[in-house]
Amino acid sequence: MDSRALGGFTLLLFSLWHLGLTAINYNCDDALVSPLPSTALTSSSELFSTHSPSFAKLNRRDGAGGWSPLESNEQQWLQVDLGDRVEIVAVATQGRYGSSDWVTSYTLMFSDTGRNWKQYRQDDTIWVFTGNSNADSVVHHKLLHSLKTRFLRFVPLKWNVGGRIGLRVEAFGCSYKSDIADFDGRSSLLYRFNQKLMSTFKDVVSLKFKSMQGDGVLFHGEGQRGDYITLELQKGKLSLHINLGDSNLHFSSSHTSVTLGSLLDDQHWHSVLIERFNKQVNFTVDKHTQHFRTKGDSDHLDIDYELSFGGIPVPGKPGTFQRKNFHGCIENLYYNGVNIIDLAKRRKPQIYTVGNVTFSCSEPQIVPITFVSTSRSYLLLPGTPQIDGLSVSFQFRTWNKDGLLLFTELSENSGPLLVYLHGGRLTLLIQKETENPVEISEGANLHDGLWHSVNINARRHRITLTLDNNAATASHATTVSRIYSGNSYYFGGCPDNFTDSQCLNPITAFQGCMRLIFIDNQPKDLILVQQGSLGNFSDLHIDLCGIKDRCLPNYCEHGGKCSQSWSTFYCDCGDTGYTGATCHNSIYEHSCEAYRHQGKTSGFFYIDSDGSGPLGPLRVFCNITEDKIWTAVQHNSTGLTRVQGADREKPYTMSFNYNSSAEQLEAVISSAEYCEQEATYHCKKSRLLNTPSKCHGP
């Protein structure tokens, strides 16, 4: 069978199978908010008790006929606790009954726990819904992608200019049933086969996961012939490693590894689908799919004894694992149609549990914050002044190389202390007019989008900076004066109205996310900050991390390398042969004739036959004469090759490898008026093409 036809058949088979798994026909349009108790609706604030969220159900007319906040601004929200995770397919809104108060546009946020919210997106963009144009008509929106969530927030962006925010809401959908397993980072599930060897030419693995960390094995299987399949998180990306029975392939470059996704350690659900038919594999993470072909000669995946999920236990060593285990939750885990978690819940003998695996998702109540602006964002938190020493810790993630992370004015004239990123490196600086400054630097490339932890501890004259909890690489410094804790701690930047020394920022403000902030060994409740009862802030998004990978998908063409800051992406077009913002424009001419028009003479040149198309540039020899222009494509055997001992039983064969792909050659040929291939045969006492006469010389 033609390989291209097989590939097409495989993709068709996959798409039908996937459709059968996901496109379930049932009615999923029940009203979800109306049956709830009034206490299920809460809000950021309320104008009066008659304007409370308890009156915010669709078509309600009691109270003031809907919800209105104390102040109308973009920091307000209306929240619905749906009681359990449900599937939401549509939403609807009204204004406040019989009033001039309605919302003209809004966004949606969702969460499983009521913490660590995520913004609803369509087409990879935070989606803005069109609201109402009067108080009582209903505006209904069907979601392009359904939501599976327990908590839903409506966040008004704009409202009637002649009134204030006024809102009544409904969500439509149905109940959502799933099988969930919780792995604590020291546990796994083993699915044991009925026979010693499981040999398959077709596999389908599907699951959803929510991770507490950036690394960990989701599943693994291996065989004695060298076969294996592994799915693991590595620095917040998902890698699939697969080898089909080539035990002779000892080099890692001989095995097949594909990486997809980014920022997958955000404690939100992500979907995975792996479909294999012989060597053809479709690997899907969320909405991104990569089709690839495995290396090696075998079509079968031979796994011995078992598959492990959540980690790779070491045989004979209980509690020991080969690599870092997965820490988080896995939902609806299917291996070739087998519901693994359902078997585990029912204690079926095919499943062996290692460590502590539970069947509900336990999640820490971590509140992240997002610093939005490079000029106005900051968070002010109080400390306990004049304590002998200092203790501050937090975690951050960003794409920006530079930004102020922390400023505090130390007590007892100890001087200002600053912690900031510069060139992707972490720096701590204590400045005092009467002493030399104390400076410590740690790490590199800390603008990689991953979470990094910072710990600052000082006792008397000694200060320690620890990065990513690695005590072995912690940096220390000594000060002349003793260090006393400050009264105020500014994270991310300074207020723009500060002109004195209360807050100094010698570098740009921080753009990124922070979480787990501790001052004087005490955790800071950022929800209290949001409610206005602790500290102060400006231009923050509290209870969500708004980081986005702008290099996924990669818009850089022709192999350009994508890098990014918080707000944009860049393409490095070096060594690609292309230029422009996305490496789209070829720097080479499309033919040798174009080089002649530039006044060039014969020589080697790169030509790009399809310009900005997918084909790369090709090195050719341009033989430029007065009447004709020849384009010569080089191959690997231009010299004479001596042939001895060839006969009919053992003919001599010779392969010519051109420095191009077949598609590049076709493009060059199709643009030419005439094409020829020349082979020169030098012979002595031999026949060419088995002719009767012999050749007696070259």
Side-chain angles (χ1 to χ4, degrees):
M1 181 183 288
D2 179 73
S3 61
R4 288 173 293 180
L6 176 62
F9 166 74
T10 303
L11 294 178
L12 177 62
L13 172 68
F14 286 166
S15 63
L16 292 176
W17 197 333
H18 187 39
L19 182 65
L21 286 173
T22 59
I24 303 173
N25 294 318
Y26 57 88
N27 293 325
C28 188
D29 56 2
D30 298 332
L32 302 175
V33 179
S34 297
L36 296 173
S38 297
T39 54
L41 284 78
T42 56
S43 64
S44 51
S45 66
E46 58 190 53
L47 182 61
F48 301 108
S49 60
T50 54
H51 296 68
S52 75
S54 60
F55 302 113
K57 295 180 182 179
L58 205 69
N59 294 319
R60 287 282 294 268
R61 298 186 179 185
D62 50 344
W67 166 71
S68 286
L70 182 61
E71 296 182 6
S72 291
N73 56 45
E74 294 184 6
Q75 281 71 52
Q76 308 298 331
W77 44 261
L78 176 66
Q79 176 177 311
V80 183
D81 179 358
L82 296 158
D84 205 348
R85 288 180 73 204
V86 298
E87 182 171 3
I88 301 173
V89 300
V91 294
T93 60
Q94 284 175 301
R96 195 167 59 79
Y97 174 69
S99 73
S100 58
D101 302 339
W102 58 83
V103 171
T104 58
S105 66
Y106 62 95
T107 60
L108 290 177
M109 296 169 63
F110 58 97
S111 167
D112 284 352
T113 64
R115 294 286 178 266
N116 189 31
W117 294 82
K118 190 170 186 177
Q119 294 162 309
Y120 177 77
R121 291 175 177 265
Q122 283 186 196
D123 302 325
D124 206 32
T125 301
I126 298 171
W127 195 252
V128 177
F129 293 85
T130 301
N132 299 88
S133 57
N134 56 54
D136 296 314
S137 62
V138 177
V139 176
H140 186 279
H141 289 284
K142 187 169 183 177
L143 303 184
L144 182 62
H145 310 289
S146 67
L147 291 176
K148 285 84 173 176
T149 189
R150 173 177 171 177
F151 293 89
L152 183 67
R153 272 187 184 177
F154 294 79
V155 183
L157 296 181
K158 295 181 181 179
W159 44 93
N160 179 28
V161 293
R164 59 172 61 244
I165 292 174
L167 199 57
R168 289 176 285 172
V169 301
E170 183 58 271
F172 301 91
C174 53
S175 60
Y176 176 67
K177 303 299 181 184
S178 66
D179 295 303
I180 293 178
D182 187 294
F183 299 84
D184 62 2
R186 300 179 299 277
S187 56
S188 66
L189 292 176
L190 306 184
Y191 172 55
R192 292 180 167 169
F193 307 140
N194 295 326
Q195 65 267 26
K196 174 184 179 296
L197 174 67
M198 180 71 76
S199 182
T200 59
F201 69 91
K202 178 176 67 176
D203 291 297
V204 177
V205 181
S206 63
L207 60 97
K208 296 178 77 174
F209 73 91
K210 178 189 291 191
S211 180
M212 307 297 149
Q213 57 191 17
D215 299 277
V217 173
L218 276 87
F219 76 82
H220 172 79
E222 61 184 62
Q224 295 180 353
R225 293 181 57 247
D227 300 52
Y228 64 79
I229 182 170
T230 305
L231 181 71
E232 68 175 322
L233 276 169
Q234 295 178 311
K235 295 185 176 180
K237 299 181 179 183
L238 203 56
S239 295
L240 175 63
H241 313 292
I242 188 169
N243 182 45
L244 300 183
D246 280 310
S247 57
N248 295 326
L249 300 178
H250 298 295
F251 301 102
S252 60
S253 60
S254 301
H255 304 288
T256 307
S257 293
V258 174
T259 298
L260 271 182
S262 179
L263 309 172
L264 300 178
D265 57 343
D266 59 359
Q267 298 180 31
H268 290 286
W269 289 108
H270 298 279
S271 60
V272 182
L273 179 64
I274 300 167
E275 304 160 303
R276 182 186 69 85
F277 185 82
N278 295 336
K279 295 186 181 67
Q280 304 289 336
V281 181
N282 292 347
F283 179 31
T284 303
V285 177
D286 295 330
K287 296 174 292 183
H288 304 284
T289 300
Q290 188 158 339
H291 312 286
F292 66 93
R293 183 178 175 87
T294 61
K295 301 173 184 177
D297 298 325
S298 175
D299 289 333
H300 287 75
L301 176 64
D302 295 338
I303 302 297
D304 291 339
Y305 301 112
E306 65 190 18
L307 278 171
S308 62
F309 298 91
I312 312 176
V314 177
K317 295 183 178 181
T320 306
F321 296 85
Q322 292 184 21
R323 295 212 282 273
K324 190 169 184 179
N325 276 28
F326 174 73
H327 184 195
C329 304
I330 297 180
E331 178 182 69
N332 295 342
L333 170 57
Y334 286 85
Y335 166 70
N336 289 341
V338 177
N339 186 336
I340 301 297
I341 297 175
D342 178 63
L343 293 179
K345 288 167 67 175
R346 294 190 287 129
R347 301 176 181 267
K348 292 297 182 179
Q350 303 100 305
I351 302 294
Y352 178 75
T353 302
V354 178
N356 182 34
V357 178
T358 58
F359 300 107
S360 62
C361 194
S362 61
E363 303 177 74
Q365 296 286 316
I366 297 175
V367 179
I369 57 175
T370 306
F371 294 81
V372 180
S373 171
T374 55
S375 59
R376 300 180 305 276
S377 291
Y378 76 92
L379 169 65
L380 167 61
L381 292 174
T384 307
Q386 299 179 332
I387 293 178
D388 185 3
L390 175 75
S391 176
V392 179
S393 63
F394 57 90
Q395 293 183 3
F396 74 90
R397 73 189 315 173
T398 185
W399 297 118
N400 286 2
K401 294 181 179 181
D402 306 308
L404 178 69
L405 296 172
L406 171 65
F407 174 90
T408 183
E409 183 72 34
L410 300 174
S411 301
E412 303 296 328
N413 295 318
S414 301
L417 180 146
L418 299 89
V419 180
Y420 56 89
L421 284 175
H422 183 60
R425 188 167 171 79
L426 184 68
T427 298
L428 181 149
L429 177 66
I430 299 178
Q431 293 177 313
K432 192 174 181 183
E433 293 181 2
T434 58
E435 300 174 14
N436 291 329
V438 174
E439 184 173 324
I440 307 174
S441 292
E442 272 285 322
N445 193 35
L446 300 179
H447 58 296
D448 55 5
L450 302 178
W451 283 110
H452 296 283
S453 64
V454 178
N455 288 270
I456 306 152
N457 284 281
R459 290 295 179 268
R460 296 183 175 87
H461 300 273
R462 181 178 173 85
I463 188 164
T464 301
L465 176 65
T466 306
L467 178 64
D468 292 332
N469 297 316
N470 191 345
T473 62
S475 297
H476 310 277
T478 302
T479 62
V480 175
S481 303
R482 293 180 67 149
I483 297 174
Y484 294 90
S485 63
N487 180 52
S488 301
Y489 292 82
Y490 292 90
F491 292 86
C494 296
D496 54 12
N497 60 345
F498 271 37
T499 57
D500 54 23
S501 61
Q502 288 180 283
C503 186
L504 299 174
N505 185 1
I507 201 165
T508 185
F510 173 73
Q511 270 188 306
C513 302
M514 287 191 189
R515 67 182 185 185
L516 298 174
I517 298 176
F518 286 70
I519 298 176
D520 302 329
N521 295 314
Q522 297 297 315
K524 293 299 180 179
D525 189 342
L526 300 178
I527 297 300
L528 295 179
V529 175
Q530 185 181 48
Q531 295 171 349
S533 57
L534 178 68
N536 203 351
F537 68 94
S538 174
D539 285 312
L540 294 187
H541 289 161
I542 297 178
D543 214 1
L544 71 87
C545 178
I547 192 170
K548 175 185 176 181
D549 192 336
R550 299 182 184 277
C551 290
L552 185 69
N554 185 359
Y555 294 104
C556 303
E557 302 176 47
H558 302 106
K561 295 180 180 178
C562 182
S563 61
Q564 61 190 305
S565 66
W566 186 261
S567 55
T568 189
F569 72 92
Y570 312 92
C571 294
D572 180 2
C573 305
D575 300 323
T576 66
Y578 296 85
T579 187
T582 59
C583 311
H584 180 72
N585 305 316
S586 179
I587 64 175
Y588 302 112
E589 298 295 339
H590 69 279
S591 67
C592 287
E593 184 174 6
Y595 283 111
R596 186 181 76 161
H597 290 317
Q598 294 180 356
K600 304 292 186 182
T601 57
S602 297
F604 285 98
F605 296 93
Y606 281 94
I607 63 171
D608 197 335
S609 299
D610 67 341
S612 296
L615 299 180
L618 174 63
R619 189 172 186 264
V620 300
F621 183 81
C622 294
N623 186 5
I624 299 174
T625 63
E626 291 185 3
D627 55 341
K628 285 191 179 295
I629 303 168
W630 291 92
T631 302
V633 183
Q634 303 294 305
H635 59 74
N636 64 334
S637 299
T638 55
L640 289 175
T641 301
R642 182 175 295 276
V643 180
Q644 292 181 326
D647 54 35
R648 182 175 298 179
E649 285 72 27
K650 294 183 179 181
Y652 178 80
T653 60
M654 187 173 184
S655 298
F656 296 94
N657 295 321
Y658 290 89
N659 61 339
S660 65
S661 66
E663 292 78 10
Q664 288 174 312
L665 285 177
E666 289 175 4
V668 173
I669 293 170
S670 63
S671 63
E673 294 180 3
Y674 171 77
C675 180
E676 67 178 28
Q677 187 175 32
E678 179 183 358
T680 304
Y681 178 65
H682 299 262
C683 65
K684 187 174 183 181
K685 297 182 178 180
S686 65
R687 287 192 178 95
L688 177 64
L689 303 177
N690 202 24
T691 54
S693 61
K694 291 184 178 181
C695 169
H696 295 284

